[in-house]
Amino acid sequence: MKKNTLLSHSSRQLALFAAAGSGTLLAGAYLFQALGYAPCQMCFWQRYPHMLAIAIGALIWFWPSRLLAGLGALAALTTAGIGAFHAGVEQKWWDGPSSCTGAGAELSGLSGQDLLATDTFEKLVMCDEVSWAFAGLSMPAWNAVLSALLCALWILALRGR
């Protein structure tokens, strides 16, 4: 009886699994947004590499390529890095962008009427505040961990048969 392990899959299959993983993480981000957890600017930055990884997976579906698998790994590593940086900003381990941290610079350009208006809600989401956590890890921290695993999967696809 043949064992069905991760390493028994083809490079193309591994790359498609990794791209699907990015799709799942991106869908989760949009689900949280639909549930009322408005994203900050750094949250959006983490989404772009996932979008790229999905597009790379679509290309690999038609044209399997080591170069594309390498680009997929780079996309996953990029979003993992942004997620880790964002998690560090939330924990106050280092400073984040002044445009979305609690330094108050973003609020200085808003009037009292702007602050009370409902259409400015997304402008007020701060990158240095944890909006949701599970098992002690915030959303960006989970993105970093899971994206690092996806990067490993892309690397297996790159090295595979």
Side-chain angles (χ1 to χ4, degrees), residues 83-139:
F85 179 76
H86 187 181
V89 169
E90 288 179 331
Q91 296 300 317
K92 314 292 191 268
W93 294 338
W94 44 74
D95 293 333
S98 61
S99 63
C100 70
T101 56
E106 185 172 319
L107 300 177
S108 64
L110 299 175
S111 69
Q113 184 176 3
D114 290 335
L115 291 171
L116 294 174
T118 58
D119 61 345
T120 60
F121 178 70
E122 287 191 320
K123 293 179 186 175
L124 301 176
V125 177
M126 296 291 144
C127 297
D128 59 354
E129 295 177 3
V130 176
S131 61
W132 180 89
F134 175 74
L137 296 178
S138 65
M139 281 190 268

Side-chain angles (χ1 to χ4, degrees), residues 21-43:
S22 278
T24 302
L25 289 176
L26 193 57
Y30 284 113
L31 175 64
F32 271 94
Q33 186 174 344
L35 292 172
Y37 294 95
C40 70
Q41 189 61 44
M42 291 178 74
C43 294

Side-chain angles (χ1 to χ4, degrees), residues 14-24 50 53-58 150 153-154:
L14 292 171
L16 293 175
F17 290 152
S22 278
T24 302
H50 283 303
I54 294 166
I56 290 168
L150 291 177
L153 200 55
W154 279 108

Side-chain angles (χ1 to χ4, degrees), residues 11-13 15-16 19 54-66 68 154:
S11 291
R12 180 177 177 212
Q13 288 172 323
L16 293 175
I54 294 166
I56 290 168
L59 289 174
I60 285 177
W61 180 267
F62 297 105
W63 303 286
S65 160
R66 288 176 49 91
L68 289 174
W154 279 108

